[in-house]
Amino acid sequence: MGILRKTIASSLLAVAGLAATPTVASADITAFLGVGHRPETRAAKGVAFGVSIIAVGFEVEYSDISEKDTADALAPRLRTGMVNALVQTPTSGAQLYATAGVGVYRENLRADFQETNTAFNIGGGIKMGLFGPVKLRVDYRLFTLRGAPTEKTVHRVYAGVNTSF
């Protein structure tokens, strides 16, 4: 019985020591280009700033999906500002992540239509190391727009350059 108690006590002490070890937080910024889908495919651009500790992080992002106004296609401009939570693998070469968030959107189409309301998003992607702190980031998001938008769901895919500091 004495050996079992010592083993359990040693194990608990080791776990407490690991939990008490300070962890370094890291911040990163991503500039991206991509496409938004629904109702038509349009160009997307944006920037994201994130902070993470090991496998959990938070991110603030701004995205702008351009308007399409041609003879054969009509789609609104969609701007979003989101706050996201991320769960990511604690690896250095390639890092997979899943994300979910909430924020606001503004949709414009010509001078005739404008809608501003709240939005939710879920998605995920991968950050792959290129050199030093610079990574390639590839991301997919599904936005659910509240209120009266032209489309309730919008898909966005992008690639971007990510650097940590």
Side-chain angles (χ1 to χ4, degrees):
M1 247 341 171
I3 294 174
L4 181 59
R5 285 185 186 162
K6 286 182 182 179
T7 303
I8 291 172
S10 296
S11 299
L12 289 174
L13 190 58
V15 168
L18 288 173
T21 304
T23 305
V24 177
S26 65
D28 66 18
I29 189 164
T30 304
F32 60 85
L33 297 172
V35 293
H37 300 284
R38 290 198 72 183
E40 294 290 328
T41 301
R42 290 124 43 225
K45 61 185 177 268
V47 64
F49 172 77
V51 176
S52 61
I53 299 175
I54 304 177
V56 178
F58 294 94
E59 177 179 72
V60 176
E61 76 160 35
Y62 170 77
S63 174
D64 186 353
I65 300 174
S66 63
E67 180 178 317
K68 191 169 196 175
D69 189 357
T70 62
D72 60 335
L74 188 62
R77 177 181 187 187
L78 176 64
R79 291 173 285 176
T80 60
M82 307 299 286
V83 176
N84 303 312
L86 286 98
V87 178
Q88 54 199 1
T89 57
T91 54
S92 59
Q95 190 172 34
L96 297 172
Y97 63 90
T99 182
V102 63
V104 296
Y105 77 90
R106 174 167 286 167
E107 193 178 53
N108 300 76
L109 184 59
R110 299 180 179 159
D112 306 336
F113 173 79
Q114 178 173 299
E115 175 72 11
T116 303
N117 211 315
T118 57
F120 301 94
N121 77 81
I122 59 169
I126 186 168
K127 298 175 189 176
M128 297 175 286
L130 295 175
F131 56 88
V134 178
K135 297 178 181 179
L136 170 66
R137 181 173 175 179
V138 179
D139 185 283
Y140 166 78
R141 298 288 169 99
L142 172 65
F143 292 89
T144 302
L145 309 178
R146 307 277 298 209
T150 57
E151 293 285 334
K152 290 283 188 186
T153 60
V154 176
H155 304 265
R156 185 189 72 203
V157 179
Y158 75 72
V161 177
N162 172 278
T163 186
S164 57
F165 51 94

